[in-house]
Amino acid sequence: MQELHDAPLAPLTTFRLGGPAARLVTATTDAEVIDAVRRADDTGTPLLIIGGGSNLVIGDKGFDGTALRIATRGVELRGTTLELAAGEVWTDAVARSVEAGLAGIECLAGIPGSAGATPIQNVGAYGQEVSATVTEVIAYDRRAGETVTLTNEGCAFSYRHSRFKADPERYVVLRVRFGLEDAGGLSAPVKYAEAARALGVEPGDRVPLAAARETVLKLRAGKGMVLDPEDHDTWSAGSFFTNPILTEEQFTAFHARVRERLGEGAEPPAYPAGEGRTKTSAAWLIDKAGFTKGYGTGPARISTKHTLALTNRGGATTEDLLALAREVVAGVREAFGVTLVNEPVTVGVSL
């Protein structure tokens, strides 16, 4: 187990932002992860868990505690069950599942980060969410001081949310098990309209697994959502804001604001979200509030490829990024009465 002091954290995040950690521990086995967590808990030391760093915004002052980088490895495929160590690179895991001819996570290709982070955020894109395939999560329960196994139901998944995200100080994910599908080399039914159009099929159709993965990678790359060290549009956390889910009353008020601002015929994106709720598009809100692609004049700007990504153009600070985020939140609220919520986890800072 590697241990460093006053260690830079910015290189461990896709934003490339943030100050140092008082102590950085890199764990390569589950036992090392548990040992590092127990030591921090026993001494009352603040603990920051880092996987792929693709969903973190760390303050410029850094983290005065122990940052634990989970670098565990392990892939086990038994029939249609895929088990991944938390530190496995998610994009590699998706590629492996496609090579094995198993469907269920192929449309989650290109999402940066580690396998252990996927159930925390209930990662989703292009019509798939990991909640549809996660069968069990093996985690260290800091409150009980033991390793536990949570079923899919026990994970309490919802849109970009889970039991782990609701109680971030309790669980440290060690391994994730997925139940995939053998559909004879075909994908799961394509649900996302944009992906279906790009594939030349109708929603609900199946396509060869490799075609689904490659199409999603192209769509993501076109939006700056596939990591590329030479492309500053990918120096981001991907989608910075979640899509708002509104009650019937909230959506009615929002709809009125849209027509007031954009004209009587204007219709915002609207998708059923269950129990009388409607989901709308954060990217649409940002754009229609006047924050177009490339918006900004400083080192932190909106991506030139996608309005939902805030980016570090090089030389930015976390405060530069947060100033831009706050400007966007305030502008959308003023224009449409909807308050955007950040998707990345903030450390030592807040919007």
Side-chain angles (χ1 to χ4, degrees):
M1 185 160 56
Q2 184 188 65
E3 182 175 326
L4 300 172
H5 295 271
D6 196 29
L9 293 180
L12 302 182
T13 74
T14 52
F15 264 124
R16 295 167 170 81
L17 295 176
R23 177 170 173 262
L24 172 64
V25 173
T26 299
T28 58
T29 68
D30 290 353
E32 289 181 351
V33 171
I34 293 170
D35 180 62
V37 173
R38 282 178 171 164
R39 280 198 283 164
D41 288 347
D42 288 347
T43 58
T45 303
L47 181 68
L48 170 64
I49 306 295
I50 300 178
S54 61
N55 202 44
L56 275 180
V57 177
I58 298 173
D60 293 317
K61 292 182 179 179
F63 184 69
D64 188 17
T66 295
L68 171 59
R69 179 171 171 259
I70 298 181
T72 53
R73 292 291 183 268
V75 178
E76 187 175 350
L77 188 59
R78 301 182 302 278
T80 56
T81 298
L82 175 67
E83 180 174 314
L84 301 173
E88 280 291 328
V89 177
W90 177 249
T91 53
D92 295 346
V94 173
R96 285 194 183 207
S97 73
V98 169
E99 289 167 7
L102 297 176
I105 57 175
E106 61 280 358
C107 290
L108 303 179
I111 294 176
S114 63
T118 60
I120 297 172
Q121 189 72 6
N122 186 16
V123 163
Y126 294 96
Q128 290 183 345
E129 289 183 328
V130 295
S131 58
T133 51
V134 168
T135 57
E136 293 180 322
V137 175
I138 296 89
Y140 177 68
D141 184 340
R142 297 168 67 182
R143 189 174 301 165
E146 62 184 16
T147 300
V148 297
T149 298
L150 290 89
T151 64
N152 180 286
E153 184 178 1
C155 292
F157 289 122
S158 60
Y159 173 67
R160 299 297 178 271
H161 202 67
S162 68
R163 179 180 301 279
F164 313 106
K165 191 172 180 180
D167 195 357
E169 301 299 317
R170 179 167 182 179
Y171 297 102
V172 178
V173 175
L174 301 174
R175 296 183 172 270
V176 188
R177 292 184 183 133
F178 299 85
L180 304 179
E181 177 190 8
D182 185 348
L186 296 179
S187 69
V190 178
K191 295 180 180 179
Y192 201 73
E194 182 184 16
R197 286 194 300 271
L199 286 159
V201 299
E202 294 296 319
D205 289 349
R206 294 177 184 260
V207 298
L209 278 165
R213 175 178 174 269
E214 289 162 10
T215 297
V216 166
L217 286 172
K218 288 178 183 177
L219 289 171
R220 290 185 64 86
K223 299 173 183 177
M225 297 290 184
V226 177
L227 293 182
D228 179 352
E230 302 303 316
D231 182 0
H232 282 275
D233 279 332
T234 74
W235 290 31
S236 75
S239 300
F240 195 87
F241 301 103
T242 57
N243 289 322
I245 295 179
L246 307 175
T247 64
E248 190 172 335
E249 182 181 356
Q250 288 171 333
F251 187 79
T252 298
F254 164 58
H255 197 193
R257 293 283 288 270
V258 168
R259 293 191 167 187
E260 179 183 331
R261 182 180 177 90
L262 303 178
E264 279 301 314
E267 291 293 335
Y271 311 96
E275 300 179 3
R277 295 174 181 269
T278 302
K279 180 168 66 175
T280 191
S281 165
W284 185 91
L285 287 165
I286 292 166
D287 181 70
K288 298 303 181 184
F291 302 100
T292 53
K293 296 173 184 176
Y295 179 88
T297 57
R301 303 180 198 175
I302 290 177
S303 166
T304 65
K305 300 182 181 72
H306 200 290
T307 54
L308 201 48
L310 307 188
T311 67
N312 172 9
R313 311 312 296 185
T317 65
T318 301
E319 278 306 309
D320 292 330
L321 175 75
L322 293 177
L324 175 62
R326 291 170 186 135
E327 183 182 0
V328 171
V329 169
V332 168
R333 186 189 298 119
E334 181 180 355
F336 299 112
V338 175
T339 300
L340 295 176
V341 176
N342 53 291
E343 187 166 335
V345 175
T346 55
V347 178
V349 291
S350 65
L351 290 190

